[in-house]
Every structure is written in structure tokens, then in C-alpha cells.
Amino acid sequence: MCKRVVIYARYSTDQQNPASIETQLDLGTSFVVERGWKLSGTYVDAGISGSSFETRPGLQAALTGAREGAYDTLLCLTLDRLSRDLEHSAKVLKLLQFHDIELWTVHGGSQVSAMELGLRAVLNSEMLEQVRYRTREGMKTVAKTGRVPGGICYGYSIKKMIGADGEPIRGLREIIADEAAVIVWIFEQYVKGLSPDAIAEILNKRGIPGPRGQAWRGTAIRDTGEEVAEF
């Protein structure tokens, strides 16, 4: 019986390379054709870390297809495209095996066993933790030198300087006077008792651009919320 195969492809936010999706799909399609199998579909997650699980719509759709018996084999370029988390990898394989679905990789050229998946998942998990550690320590080092390890906050712009080695000095910032005045005004109004939503409404009525040039919202002013980092 001809195998019904679906391909799962993903590129992560640390790679920022959408072209890798096309590469994964091209290599996977060639792999399927060479073996005389039937390509039944593709699932894609673009710009999503391999450490996530529930937030990957492509992977969740693939698992739904497995439950519905939509295919016989799930194919990935490599196992780290599936997941970098041991628990998630084991969960995926367990679900596939329960529905008599095989997991294959183009790189390995064969069906993935539970032992191989476990070993590779452990290695991927360790590598991910090392990347996190190096990133955290790198950010600490940058901060100790008086530079900013993160993105651009409202009220600041990038300060361009060249170091003694001829390379750009990263993490330097300059204050934007107009935006700084807005921030001071916001604090003054807050001390007077105005709510963040009321302050945002006044700023919008005055036509003052908010963070990233968008309209002001209360969440951009409160000390909590996703956009507090704007200040």
C-alpha cells in the first residue's frame, strides 16, 4: 500500500530565515517522490521556537490530522524541526504511535524509534539551555558596560559609534527630546490622578504618535502589561 505522507516544516525565531521553510518542503517532497509515496499535505510553523508546543498551529493541525487518520507517515527534515523539548517530542511520538503513524526524517532516511527520539531530544534540550545561558550572560555583560542589551524603547534612538577596533559599538542609545517630554508629561498626569486610559485618550486627541508610531493605549502607560517595556 502506498504511504500517505505529510511534511512538517518549521523555522524558529532565532534563525529568522523564511527561505528555510521552502528548503525543508523541497527536500521532503523529493524524499517522498523518490520512494514512490503519496504526499498528502504539508504543515508549516514560521518564526516559532521549537521549545513551544500548544502555540504552534502547524504542529497542532498535524496532530489533529493524525487523530483523524489523514496520513500514515509524518516527515520532518530533522528531529529538531519537530521539537527541541524532550517532553514535547515524547508526546508527539506517543500520539503518532497510538494511531499507527510512523515518524520519519529526511536527514536520517529512516523511521525514528523511541530511543533515537529520546536521545536526540535530550541533546536538543541541552543545546537550547546552553543558548539561553549564553544569551543571558551576554546581556548581563552588555548591561555592565552601560549599554542596552534589548530593543529600542520609546524615548530613545540608536546612537551610532565606531569602536577602536573599527567595529560598531552596539547597545548605545540617545534620548529623543520630544518623546522624553511626552514621558515626563505622562508621569505628571498620572501623579495628578488621571488613569492610563484617560492619558492615552488625551495623547491621541492631540495627535501625538505612540510607541512604534501607533495610537496610544492604556497598556502602553501602565506599570503592567506587555508594552510596559516601551518606557
Side-chain angles (χ1 to χ4, degrees), residues 23-175:
T23 300
Q24 293 174 56
L25 294 178
D26 286 344
L27 291 173
T29 300
S30 298
F31 189 88
V32 171
V33 172
E34 289 170 1
R35 283 156 181 75
W37 297 343
K38 177 184 177 182
L39 181 59
S40 297
T42 60
Y43 299 96
V44 172
D45 282 315
I48 302 179
S49 171
S51 61
S52 62
F53 186 74
E54 286 82 3
T55 56
R56 278 195 274 168
L59 178 60
Q60 293 304 320
L63 297 181
T64 297
R67 297 185 185 97
E68 296 173 349
Y71 56 88
D72 306 307
T73 301
L74 177 64
L75 177 66
C76 303
L77 182 64
T78 55
L79 279 176
D80 65 344
R81 298 302 86 199
L82 184 65
S83 180
R84 289 181 177 177
D85 185 283
L86 176 58
E87 179 183 357
H88 297 164
S89 299
K91 184 183 298 185
V92 171
L93 184 61
K94 184 176 182 180
L95 185 147
L96 294 177
Q97 290 180 335
F98 179 80
H99 294 283
D100 296 322
I101 296 173
E102 298 177 350
L103 174 63
W104 283 62
T105 65
V106 175
H107 180 262
S110 61
Q111 183 179 353
V112 177
S113 66
M115 180 178 293
E116 179 185 357
L117 182 68
L119 290 173
R120 290 189 179 275
V122 168
L123 293 175
N124 286 331
S125 179
E126 176 63 21
M127 181 184 69
L128 185 61
E129 183 54 39
Q130 290 180 12
V131 170
R132 287 171 176 165
Y133 173 78
R134 291 195 297 268
T135 300
R136 288 195 299 267
E137 294 306 310
M139 294 177 70
K140 289 179 183 178
T141 300
V142 170
K144 287 178 181 178
T145 61
R147 293 178 289 142
V148 180
I152 302 296
C153 296
Y154 182 83
Y156 294 90
S157 63
I158 296 176
K159 182 178 181 179
K160 297 181 180 179
M161 288 187 63
I162 303 298
D165 58 358
E167 295 294 325
I169 302 176
R170 304 186 185 281
L172 298 180
R173 300 289 185 265
E174 289 182 321
I175 294 175

